[in-house]
Amino acid sequence: MDYSAQPFAQVQPRRAVDAIMKQIRDRIQSNELRPGQKLPAERLLAEQMGVSRNTVREAIRMLEVSGLVTLKKGATGGAFLNDSNTAALSQNIRDGINLNQYDATDLIDVRLVLETYAVERACLHATDEEIDELAAIARQSKLAESSEPSYEHRLVLHMDFHRKLATFAHNRVLEVLTEPLLEMTRQFHLKSGPAAGMETHELRARLVQAIRDRDSEAATTVLAEHFTALQDRLLAVTLHS
């Protein structure tokens, strides 16, 4: 059977849903439960934990909302642990944006720290082929500035550049953290509208060249210039919104 043979412990009914979720999270944390693995059936979990199947079902639904599991229907269905909960994390960030929990300064500060690390790692670990791919995205983005009328479509290329930069740093945790931050940036940009112009593309070309030269000092300097300009634009939007 595709789950741990160790029975789950019984829980107290008053906060049974929270207790069920904690046990499952703890087993994920300890690697006893792994990505792609199927959880025990509702009936078995209910018996082991001393609760109703409805209580188990509610806990699993909460885990689905949090992005930890996916529910599949059919004879081979059930609750399966996700390989990644990046999408759910991004959704939580988007919800926070809608509640005005974040501002442009917070966003830029964190992105600058993470992407400075990404650039330093890319200078050390990115392959020549990966740097070529980064350069190709930069060229596409520059070309789209004059050929693509939809700003939302141009923004996809802008975000993809930074997403690839995180990927080519070869640190999986960095990739996961970067994704929701890029979604925050995209939301701010959609509010501000197109304002970057060719300055962004010139800085991006310099950044790619510095990475190609394996010059981390030059690369981080260019990145800081880029984020200073970005912060100025986003702050202007915040002040006028």
Side-chain angles (χ1 to χ4, degrees):
M1 301 180 74
D2 191 19
Y3 54 82
S4 171
Q6 180 67 29
F8 284 86
Q10 290 198 4
V11 298
Q12 297 300 315
R14 193 169 70 87
R15 303 203 62 180
V17 170
D18 289 341
I20 293 168
M21 292 173 63
K22 183 179 185 305
Q23 285 199 56
I24 293 173
R25 288 178 188 274
D26 287 347
R27 295 199 182 195
I28 294 171
Q29 182 68 31
S30 67
N31 291 321
E32 187 175 345
L33 291 173
R34 296 179 177 276
Q37 192 169 353
K38 182 181 178 180
L39 289 177
E42 287 180 1
R43 176 188 56 77
L44 182 57
L45 284 175
E47 290 176 358
Q48 291 180 356
M49 296 181 176
V51 296
S52 70
R53 291 180 64 174
N54 284 339
T55 301
V56 171
R57 188 174 298 121
E58 178 64 21
I60 291 175
R61 283 175 179 166
M62 293 293 290
L63 291 171
E64 181 187 27
V65 170
S66 71
L68 283 177
V69 304
T70 294
L71 299 180
K72 299 180 181 179
K73 296 182 179 180
T76 59
F80 293 83
L81 295 180
N82 288 331
D83 291 333
S84 168
N85 66 343
T86 303
L89 181 57
S90 294
Q91 183 61 58
N92 290 337
I93 295 293
R94 288 196 293 272
D95 291 342
I97 294 171
N98 293 333
L99 294 171
N100 297 316
Q101 293 178 348
Y102 309 99
D103 61 35
T105 300
D106 293 337
L107 172 63
I108 298 304
D109 285 349
V110 174
R111 277 195 61 195
L112 178 57
V113 171
L114 287 180
E115 293 200 35
T116 295
Y117 171 75
V119 162
E120 291 172 345
R121 291 268 307 180
C123 285
L124 291 172
H125 301 291
T127 66
D128 291 341
E129 291 77 15
E130 288 171 340
I131 296 171
D132 287 342
E133 185 177 346
L134 200 61
I137 296 171
R139 288 193 298 271
Q140 282 182 281
S141 182
K142 182 178 181 179
L143 180 62
E145 197 71 40
S146 57
S147 62
E148 173 55 67
S150 169
Y151 177 60
E152 189 166 359
H153 290 165
R154 297 200 303 273
L155 199 52
V156 171
L157 291 171
H158 283 296
M159 297 300 101
D160 198 34
F161 179 87
H162 292 277
R163 185 175 293 108
K164 289 293 185 182
L165 181 61
T167 299
F168 297 156
H170 296 282
N171 183 315
R172 180 58 183 148
V173 174
L174 176 66
E175 284 187 67
V176 172
L177 292 175
T178 295
E179 189 62 38
L181 295 177
L182 290 179
E183 177 58 25
M184 289 177 69
T185 305
R186 190 180 74 86
Q187 294 288 342
F188 275 117
H189 276 307
L190 288 175
K191 292 179 182 179
S192 67
M198 297 308 293
E199 176 193 6
T200 293
H201 303 291
E202 292 167 2
L203 287 169
R204 198 168 285 163
R206 288 169 52 199
L207 177 59
V208 171
Q209 186 58 52
I211 295 173
R212 193 182 297 280
D213 294 338
R214 312 292 176 172
D215 188 341
S216 61
E217 183 175 353
T220 54
T221 297
V222 175
L223 187 72
E225 289 182 47
H226 168 72
F227 276 115
T228 296
L230 175 60
Q231 179 167 284
D232 290 344
R233 290 194 302 274
L234 295 184
L235 282 175
V237 173
T238 303
L239 291 173
H240 292 89
S241 61

